[in-house]
């Protein structure tokens, strides 16, 4: 018996005549298309408001670089939300991974990692990835094995990971980051204009899209989100797969922490308070359903740039930055309402 997700996908992929809808109608019903149009409209709006600053190469580079760590969080969140789960801890895991990575590089360098070489930097990267993945494993085990709701588990991890980072540093940011890391990954460019941080984020995103959309791992992710019990009866090891999904999300949060460390040159412990909201908003805006079983990496990529453009645009337009989370929250609620409306309409057909 086909799962609900497989039925939807076969209908969406059917010829226009068979599905009873033309190409225009299918595009009009695509969340990804509408999200893309909203993003274009925001870019046009801020370009009109600040034509001297917003539509510039420097601003585009800055926006892309600042969005790169958030994109890593959103890609991991896409997998989790497709399984009908949630991960509120990614922002804190990012901070924790950055802290343990920076402290490791400091200790390997005798207390000042500024002149550290690539051997130390690679160890720092490994520590960040392992630190992030460890929180992901913990979340996955608690969600999949003990059956504690993901909202509660990851809310607890949100506080625990941030608290652990503050305990390790006594609340003081680590500021000695290898200069080679900053100049190469943090602020370096390739082909003259493309930031290396963006190239790394793009590569990881392409790999994640391949994993989700062309492999058995991705098919199992969709199947669990559509109907976990049906997936279990069809032979999918649901518990193991959920642990793997949360581990992947933690791993990407660890990578995001290392990328943030490379860009800012410090751990920025207090600078990621809105990352959880922005990552979830980006994924939902990109068309991934909070009810599970539906979503795409491409949609999340587009969704990531809505909070980023709002943040940059508000600053350039002279709007107080406190309005940015309000705007993102309002758009998120609207996106969830639209998702519910479309789900009810689809079920009533």
């Amino acid at each position: 018996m086909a799962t609900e997700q497989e039925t939807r996908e076969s209908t969406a992929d059917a010829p226009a005549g068979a599905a009873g809808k033309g190409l225009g109608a299918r595009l009009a019903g695509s969340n990804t298309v509408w999200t893309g149009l909203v993003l274009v409209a925001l870019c046009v709006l801020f370009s009109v408001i600040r034509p001297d600053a917003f539509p510039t190469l420097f601003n585009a580079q800055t926006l892309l670089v600042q969005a790169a760590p958030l994109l890593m969080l959103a890609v991991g969140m896409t997998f989790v939300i497709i399984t009908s789960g949630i991960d509120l801890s990614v922002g804190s895991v990012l901070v924790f991974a950055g802290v343990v990575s920076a402290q490791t590089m400091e200790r390997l360098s005798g207390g000042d990692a500024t002149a550290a070489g690539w051997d130390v930097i690679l160890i720092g990267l490994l520590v960040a990835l392992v630190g992030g993945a460890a929180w992901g494993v913990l979340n996955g085990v608690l969600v999949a094995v003990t059956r504690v709701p993901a909202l509660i588990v990851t809310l607890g991890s949100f506080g625990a990971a941030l608290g652990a980072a503050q305990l390790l540093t006594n609340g003081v940011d680590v500021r000695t980051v290898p200069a080679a890391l900053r100049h190469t990954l943090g602020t370096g460019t390739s082909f003259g204009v493309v930031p290396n941080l963006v190239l790394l984020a793009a590569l990881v995103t392409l790999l994640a899209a391949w994993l989700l959309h062309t492999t058995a791992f991705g098919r199992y992710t969709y199947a669990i989100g559509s109907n976990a019990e049906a997936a279990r009866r069809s032979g999918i090891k649901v518990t193991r797969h959920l642990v793997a999904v949360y581990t992947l999300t933690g791993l990407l949060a660890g990578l995001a922490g290392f990328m943030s460390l490379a860009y800012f040159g410090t751990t920025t412990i207090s600078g990621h308070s809105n990352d959880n909201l922005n990552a979830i908003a980006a994924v939902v805006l990109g068309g991934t359903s909070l009810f599970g079983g539906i979503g795409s990496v491409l949609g999340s990529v587009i969704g990531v740039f809505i909070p980023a453009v709002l943040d940059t645009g508000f600053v350039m337009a002279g709007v107080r930055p406190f309005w940015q989370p309000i705007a993102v929250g309002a758009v998120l609620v609207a996106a969830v309402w639209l998702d519910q409306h479309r789900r009810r309409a689809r079920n009533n057909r």
Side-chain angles (χ1 to χ4, degrees), residues 71-72 196-210 255:
L71 178 58
M72 297 298 91
N196 292 332
L197 209 62
V198 175
L199 287 177
L200 175 60
L203 176 61
V204 173
T205 301
L206 288 173
L207 289 174
W210 169 81
L255 177 60

Side-chain angles (χ1 to χ4, degrees), residues 234-312:
S234 69
I236 298 173
K237 293 179 171 54
V238 174
T239 298
R240 187 172 69 181
H241 190 84
L242 285 175
V243 173
V245 166
Y246 279 92
T247 301
L248 174 63
T249 304
L251 183 74
L252 291 175
L255 177 60
F258 188 77
M259 293 166 68
S260 176
L261 189 66
Y263 179 66
F264 291 106
T266 180
T267 48
T268 59
I269 294 174
S270 61
H272 300 276
S273 58
N274 293 328
D275 283 3
N276 301 323
L277 171 63
N278 288 341
I280 295 171
V283 173
V284 175
L285 287 172
T288 299
S289 174
L290 282 172
F291 301 97
I294 299 174
S296 71
V297 171
L298 174 61
S300 297
V301 171
I302 297 174
V304 158
F305 287 100
I306 290 182
V309 168
L310 280 172
D311 190 18
T312 302

Side-chain angles (χ1 to χ4, degrees), residues 1 6 19 31 37 57 60 68 87 96 102 118 135 158 160 174-175 183 187 250 267 273 281 294 306 310 320 327 339:
M1 181 179 295
E6 291 170 336
N31 283 350
L37 292 175
L57 175 61
D87 190 344
F96 176 84
W118 282 100
W135 284 103
F158 165 81
V174 180
R175 299 184 181 278
H183 295 155
T187 59
T267 48
S273 58
I294 299 174
I306 290 182
L310 280 172
R320 298 177 70 188
D339 180 42

Side-chain angles (χ1 to χ4, degrees), residues 4-6 8-9 31-32 77-84 212-213 221-226 283-284 286-297 300 339 342-343 346:
E4 180 185 359
Q5 171 64 21
E6 291 170 336
R8 292 175 191 153
E9 290 180 341
N31 283 350
T32 302
M77 191 73 72
T78 302
F79 283 82
V80 170
I81 293 181
I82 286 176
T83 67
S84 74
L212 180 61
H213 298 294
T221 302
Y222 282 113
I224 291 170
S226 294
V283 173
V284 175
T288 299
S289 174
L290 282 172
F291 301 97
I294 299 174
S296 71
V297 171
S300 297
D339 180 42
R342 288 179 175 175
R343 180 176 290 268
R346 183 169 54 245

